[in-house]
């Protein structure tokens, strides 16, 4: 599953002690391409509250998060791919903490062993200089992936403040699509990056030689070579 979510701006919050409100979550099945959405405005529409949505933000957000964690519980066998969802500022813990702040408790969580940070995976494959910052946007440009409907984090926060829910909806869906695109291209070996030959092949080659050096057969051969050398020196000494 590929997961991404949008929220209020978690920087420049001044004296506001409240954690950023989660506004939209999208989950995409990497195999089937099917995407499931969780959002405040969709629940408001279902409940006939679009005209008074601001007065019900807390209740709507709580219901959205409860529905999301129900979906997580149904997918306990799945692996979850994300982009930098690593801590209580922005991540799985942030979603759990936000639901707790709204008076409810998640009925499940995504185990750390099933969380896969695509941003770190790409660094592991291609090296830290594989693209410029901001990495998602730069990598999209390098691979000619359309930025249609894509909003950066601040733009998403602004869209929520301005009640541009459709734009926010489309942006979050677009981002899980982009992450799935990155993953698919990397798996196929078709992802275009700025990495040179050394970054792509240097570490695997070093790893191969390290593995080769530690292989039991190599150690035996190495020991044999040493014995042959000693025997030759002994023969030369006595003759």
């Amino acid at each position: 599953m590929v997961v991404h979510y949008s929220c209020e701006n978690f920087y420049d919050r001044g004296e506001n002690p409240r954690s950023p409100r989660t506004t939209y979550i999208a989950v995409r099945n990497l195999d089937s391409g099917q995407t499931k959405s969780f959002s405040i405005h969709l629940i408001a529409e279902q409940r006939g509250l679009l005209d008074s949505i601001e007065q019900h933000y807390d209740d709507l957000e709580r219901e959205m998060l409860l529905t999301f964690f129900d979906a997580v519980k149904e997918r306990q066998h799945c692996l979850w791919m994300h982009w930098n969802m690593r801590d209580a500022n922005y991540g799985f813990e942030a979603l759990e903490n936000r639901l707790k702040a709204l008076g409810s408790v998640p009925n499940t969580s995504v185990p750390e062993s099933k969380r896969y940070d695509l941003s770190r995976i790409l660094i592991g494959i291609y090296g830290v200089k594989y693209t410029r910052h901001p990495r998602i946007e730069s990598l999209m440009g390098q691979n000619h992936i359309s930025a249609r409907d894509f909003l950066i984090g601040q733009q998403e926060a602004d869209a929520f403040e301005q009640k541009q829910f459709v734009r926010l909806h489309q942006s979050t869906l677009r981002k899980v699509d982009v992450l799935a695109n990155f993953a698919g291209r990397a798996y196929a070996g078709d992802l275009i990056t700025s990495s040179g030959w050394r970054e792509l092949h240097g570490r695997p080659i070093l790893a191969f030689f390290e593995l080769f050096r530690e292989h039991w057969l190599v150690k035996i051969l190495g020991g044999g070579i040493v014995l042959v050398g000693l025997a030759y020196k002994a023969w030369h000494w006595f003759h």
Side-chain angles (χ1 to χ4, degrees), residues 25 28 49 91 142 177 184 209 223:
I25 308 172
R28 178 187 176 99
L49 297 173
Q142 286 177 271
D177 181 61
F209 279 115

Side-chain angles (χ1 to χ4, degrees), residues 41-53 56 60:
H41 97 273
L42 289 177
I43 294 176
E45 183 178 19
Q46 294 166 6
R47 294 175 56 179
L49 297 173
L50 283 177
D51 293 334
S52 58
I53 190 169
H56 301 278
L60 296 171

Side-chain angles (χ1 to χ4, degrees), residues 2-5 7 10-11 80-94 115-123 130 133-137 179:
V2 183
V3 60
H4 182 78
Y5 76 92
C7 63
F10 41 78
Y11 299 115
W80 294 78
M81 181 173 288
H82 59 92
W83 189 275
N84 284 339
M85 288 177 54
R86 295 197 298 260
D87 52 40
N89 194 34
Y90 181 81
F92 294 98
E93 283 77 17
R115 303 177 191 179
Y116 290 83
D117 187 348
L118 182 58
S119 65
R120 293 172 62 87
I121 291 173
L122 295 181
I123 290 173
Y130 75 94
H133 288 283
R135 285 194 168 113
I136 292 181
E137 295 94 307
L179 298 184

Side-chain angles (χ1 to χ4, degrees), residues 50-78:
L50 283 177
D51 293 334
S52 58
I53 190 169
E54 285 183 291
Q55 286 74 44
H56 301 278
Y57 272 156
D58 283 355
D59 290 338
L60 296 171
E61 184 186 3
R62 182 189 302 110
E63 185 173 342
M64 175 192 68
L65 289 169
L66 287 171
T67 305
F68 167 71
F69 281 108
D70 284 342
V72 172
K73 188 173 184 179
E74 293 172 0
R75 295 164 176 79
Q76 285 293 299
H77 60 288
C78 293

Side-chain angles (χ1 to χ4, degrees), residues 106-118:
N107 59 0
T108 189
S109 64
V110 177
E112 288 191 22
S113 61
K114 293 188 176 182
R115 303 177 191 179
Y116 290 83
D117 187 348
L118 182 58

Side-chain angles (χ1 to χ4, degrees), residues 2-43:
V2 183
V3 60
H4 182 78
Y5 76 92
S6 58
C7 63
E8 291 179 316
N9 191 351
F10 41 78
Y11 299 115
D12 302 323
R13 296 184 62 80
E15 299 300 321
N16 187 353
R18 180 178 60 81
S19 57
R21 189 183 302 283
T22 304
T23 56
Y24 205 103
I25 308 172
V27 176
R28 178 187 176 99
N29 186 305
L30 196 57
D31 288 332
S32 69
Q34 295 296 306
T35 303
K36 188 172 181 61
S37 304
F38 309 86
S39 81
I40 287 177
H41 97 273
L42 289 177
I43 294 176

Side-chain angles (χ1 to χ4, degrees), residues 117-236:
D117 187 348
L118 182 58
S119 65
R120 293 172 62 87
I121 291 173
L122 295 181
I123 290 173
I125 296 173
Y126 300 103
V128 71
K129 297 181 180 179
Y130 75 94
T131 194
R132 301 183 308 277
H133 288 283
R135 285 194 168 113
I136 292 181
E137 295 94 307
S138 297
L139 201 58
M140 288 172 64
Q142 286 177 271
N143 287 271
H144 310 291
I145 299 172
S146 171
R148 180 177 55 86
D149 300 327
F150 188 101
L151 301 176
I152 63 173
Q154 183 60 58
Q155 290 174 326
E156 288 184 339
D158 292 343
F160 179 74
E161 290 294 328
Q162 298 163 12
K163 299 182 184 178
Q164 297 176 341
F165 300 122
V166 174
R167 288 187 69 207
L168 186 56
H169 179 175
Q170 292 172 335
S171 175
T172 314
L173 290 176
R174 183 61 178 152
K175 286 185 177 179
V176 293
D177 181 61
V178 168
L179 298 184
N181 194 319
F182 288 168
R185 292 185 187 218
Y187 181 76
D190 297 330
L191 189 68
I192 300 172
T193 71
S194 302
S195 301
W197 191 94
R198 181 177 180 179
E199 286 81 11
L200 290 176
H201 304 286
R203 284 174 296 174
I205 288 175
L206 289 175
F208 168 77
F209 279 115
E210 181 65 21
L211 181 64
F212 181 78
R213 186 176 66 82
E214 294 297 324
H215 195 281
W216 64 269
L217 183 58
V218 174
K219 290 182 177 180
I220 291 175
L221 290 174
I225 292 172
V226 171
L227 290 175
V228 169
L230 291 174
Y232 175 79
K233 287 183 178 180
W235 180 86
H236 183 73

